[in-house]
Amino acid sequence: MLLLSLWVIILAVGIPIVMHLAAGQKERVASPAGSSSSPGADMAQSGGPTAGHASAAGQAPEEQESMVESVAGLNGTIHTGVRIGGMDVSGMTAVEAAEALERKLLETKGYLISLNLGHATLPVTAGDLGLEWSNSDVVKQAMALGQSGNVVQRYKTRKQLGQGPVNLRLSYDVEEEKARALLEGRCASACNRDPIEPTLKMTDSGLTAVEGALGYTLNVEESLDKVRNYLGDTWLGGAGSLELVYATKEPSHKLEELQAVKDVMGQASTDYSSSSSARRTNIATAAEKINGVVLYPGDSFSALNAITPFTEENGYELANSYANGEVVESFGGGICQVSTTLYLAVLRAELEVTQRYNHSMLVTYVKPSMDAAIAENSGKDFIFSNNTDHPVYIHLAAWNGTLKAAVYGAEYRDGDRKVEYVSETLSTEEAGTRLKATDDPLGTINRTQSAHEGCSAELYKVVTEGGKEVSREKVNASTYAKTDAEYEIGTSGDNADVIAQVKAAIAQNDIQEVRRVLKANGLG
């Protein structure tokens, strides 16, 4: 008989099988004749599914028959020296071999594969990616080795098996529906993000520019193809890694733009140390919501949009505020001090103010016409825009009863040019007093509304250069309504004479006379 070469062609169930010695060992790998060594190519020759076939456009994948189901009814045992995917199946029945391979698949599905998403990695299992066998008929091939064909063919095959084990390849495929669900769900969630713009951060050492970051969008279709190719052609089992396909998007602005922002262009401060605890909370909350805003050239900022809604859920408490010429309690009471302080800083930075309203009544923390009111219900807003050639940074800090606002930018004005804002009061209207009798005991006095003087005022921008005034421009005209002080006076008791005197003073709205009468009768 002729000596057999290292390569021997045999026939198994009518399928040509090529056995060759593995390098450095006496194990041979059997694969369909004429195929490449890749798992996908093995099955392509034998008519089985491949990674590329699983994604036929518009076609739902067919439910794959389990390996155990595919060998039901096969009798006999596998010849000695046969391995499948490196696992010795000698002497096993077809069902035993299929069950062992199903267990191997279950174990293989548990291997971790790290998915590179550009700015993040996501560990998943091979099973998460939809790993499946692509050559589920490999057990039938194993059963046929040395036991199919004519006498000569069986003899030659068995002799070869006696020279060293033959290993039948296992090849992998991807269950598209499962892989797509992973990519569209967890992978897209971990990958997709908008570009992160560079920003400015206030630190103990001053203002620092912070680099932005790319935006990412996962390409699901191309990533799905890459998963198929990886599991079907490249992956050898065990832990692995795969970079998915994603698009990147640059931030709209560059870090260099913000590095020019280093100068204080305008600043202001107001005092709120005498405020109630609730009002102090509201001021701090609103200041925190505005602090850190970056405006690029041409950008506009709405203070109302930045700090509303005025609700408990948004961090605000009930405190006094102005409404229709009266002092009332509302959520967010006191936040107008934040918009007012910012207004003064913006004016001194000479940014463009496009919307500003004065309060209905005078406030105590700035001079007339220097305030900027905000009201959610009426839509009163303070809006300004960056009319400079560089970004500006808004800094607000409420601490220990003092509210500070500063606008940082790139200073472009001459050093000897100074800007001052002057409040001029045109007229005033003295507040009166209104008294109301109640059924409270005689001697009771409750003030229900404080007095506020009425006023008409204008604000002027005065510019000096080298100490000389070069311009004076009216910025706004503001009118504040007067509000009378209101008192509720108790008139219930047994002393009819005193009650009559008190009611007479009430009729004249004379609070001083009420106090005199009560004091004279031991009730003051």
Side-chain angles (χ1 to χ4, degrees):
M1 180 179 292
L2 295 176
L3 294 176
L4 296 175
S5 65
L6 293 180
W7 293 85
V8 180
I9 301 179
I10 67 173
L11 294 176
V13 199
I15 303 175
I17 302 293
V18 178
M19 296 185 293
H20 60 86
L21 292 176
Q25 54 182 318
K26 292 185 178 180
E27 177 178 300
R28 285 146 302 163
V29 179
S31 59
S35 70
S36 72
S37 61
S38 69
D42 290 347
M43 289 312 297
Q45 294 294 325
S46 59
T50 67
H53 295 151
S55 64
Q59 295 182 3
E62 296 181 3
E63 186 175 345
Q64 187 173 3
E65 184 181 37
S66 75
M67 195 170 288
V68 173
E69 291 172 339
S70 71
V71 299
L74 288 182
N75 298 317
T77 58
I78 299 173
H79 198 284
T80 301
V82 178
R83 296 183 181 181
I84 301 177
M87 183 177 65
D88 189 358
V89 292
S90 302
M92 291 186 183
T93 65
V95 170
E96 289 172 341
E99 289 175 342
L101 288 174
E102 293 283 9
R103 291 192 295 270
K104 180 179 178 68
L105 176 61
L106 186 61
E107 177 185 347
T108 304
K109 285 183 175 182
Y111 287 125
L112 286 178
I113 297 176
S114 179
L115 301 179
N116 183 345
L117 303 171
H119 65 97
T121 58
L122 180 66
V124 300
T125 65
D128 293 333
L129 289 169
L131 182 73
E132 292 292 351
W133 300 130
S134 67
N135 58 338
S136 59
D137 61 347
V138 68
V139 175
K140 294 179 182 178
Q141 296 177 24
M143 288 288 291
L145 284 176
Q147 302 185 66
S148 295
N150 58 36
V151 174
V152 174
Q153 292 169 340
R154 293 198 300 271
Y155 169 78
K156 290 180 178 180
T157 303
R158 289 172 180 174
K159 186 160 185 173
Q160 283 296 304
L161 289 170
Q163 294 177 358
V166 171
N167 184 47
L168 298 177
R169 296 181 186 277
L170 280 174
S171 56
Y172 300 117
D173 199 357
V174 171
E175 182 185 341
E176 179 176 333
E177 185 176 346
K178 190 168 186 179
R180 183 182 294 277
L182 176 72
L183 292 171
E184 293 178 345
R186 291 168 58 195
C187 293
S189 178
C191 176
N192 295 353
R193 75 177 187 194
D194 292 330
I196 300 174
E197 297 295 333
T199 190
L200 290 162
K201 183 178 180 181
M202 184 64 69
T203 65
D204 292 339
S205 58
L207 204 56
T208 303
V210 180
E211 183 67 272
L214 292 172
Y216 289 82
T217 304
L218 184 69
N219 187 318
V220 172
E221 296 305 323
E222 292 187 19
S223 293
L224 184 58
D225 288 340
K226 201 164 186 181
V227 169
R228 290 194 196 99
N229 293 334
Y230 177 73
L231 292 180
D233 299 336
T234 306
W235 187 55
L236 299 177
S241 63
L242 175 65
E243 183 174 22
L244 298 184
V245 183
Y246 47 82
T248 61
K249 185 178 180 181
E250 294 280 348
S252 302
H253 299 281
K254 302 294 184 182
L255 182 68
E256 292 74 17
E257 297 177 68
L258 297 180
Q259 290 174 332
V261 179
K262 59 183 72 173
D263 305 311
V264 177
M265 300 182 66
Q267 58 185 330
S269 65
T270 57
D271 179 82
Y272 66 96
S273 57
S274 62
S275 296
S276 66
S277 174
R279 189 175 187 276
R280 293 165 74 99
T281 295
N282 293 339
I283 289 173
T285 298
E288 183 179 0
K289 293 182 185 299
I290 296 175
N291 181 50
V293 167
V294 175
L295 299 178
Y296 288 89
D299 285 353
S300 182
F301 177 78
S302 161
L304 185 64
N305 289 344
I307 64 179
T308 52
F310 298 133
T311 61
E312 186 176 8
E313 293 75 17
N314 204 24
Y316 295 106
E317 298 183 11
L318 286 171
N320 286 345
S321 62
Y322 290 169
N324 300 319
E326 294 183 348
V327 177
V328 298
E329 272 200 336
S330 65
F331 281 104
I335 53 86
C336 290
Q337 186 161 348
V338 176
S339 55
T340 292
T341 310
L342 179 58
Y343 174 55
L344 293 177
V346 166
L347 288 176
R348 290 162 185 166
E350 296 186 82
L351 301 185
E352 182 182 5
V353 176
T354 56
Q355 189 174 140
R356 170 264 174 191
Y357 296 89
N358 59 273
H359 286 79
S360 58
M361 300 182 292
L362 283 171
V363 296
T364 59
Y365 42 84
V366 292
K367 294 178 180 179
S369 72
M370 289 186 172
D371 59 325
I374 286 180
E376 188 173 13
N377 293 335
S378 65
K380 283 186 177 181
D381 198 358
F382 169 46
I383 303 175
F384 63 93
S385 61
N386 178 8
N387 56 343
T388 74
D389 294 331
H390 296 279
V392 296
Y393 173 85
I394 308 300
H395 179 63
L396 276 171
W399 179 253
N400 202 27
T402 300
L403 176 62
K404 295 181 179 181
V407 177
Y408 288 79
E411 186 59 80
Y412 62 92
R413 299 167 293 186
D414 292 337
D416 67 346
R417 183 178 182 278
K418 305 296 180 184
V419 178
E420 181 184 8
Y421 290 87
V422 178
S423 169
E424 293 187 3
T425 298
L426 305 181
S427 63
T428 60
E429 183 179 7
E430 185 177 354
T433 303
R434 287 185 290 175
L435 307 184
K436 178 183 177 181
T438 70
D439 292 334
D440 292 327
L442 194 63
T444 302
I445 299 178
N446 293 321
R447 189 177 71 176
T448 57
Q449 175 69 55
S450 57
H452 291 266
E453 181 183 67
C455 174
S456 177
E458 294 176 343
L459 186 66
Y460 287 87
K461 175 184 178 181
V462 180
V463 179
T464 60
E465 294 179 357
K468 294 183 179 179
E469 182 176 321
V470 295
S471 66
R472 178 179 289 260
E473 174 189 357
K474 185 169 77 173
V475 177
N476 71 57
S478 304
T479 300
Y480 305 90
K482 77 175 182 71
T483 302
D484 295 335
E486 295 182 3
Y487 295 87
E488 291 182 345
I489 311 298
T491 57
S492 176
D494 297 330
N495 193 328
D497 182 54
V498 173
I499 291 173
Q501 293 180 59
V502 168
K503 286 184 176 181
I506 291 173
Q508 298 298 317
N509 287 314
D510 190 344
I511 186 63
Q512 298 302 325
E513 177 62 14
V514 169
R515 290 195 170 104
R516 187 195 68 76
V517 170
L518 293 176
K519 184 176 182 180
N521 289 276
L523 297 171

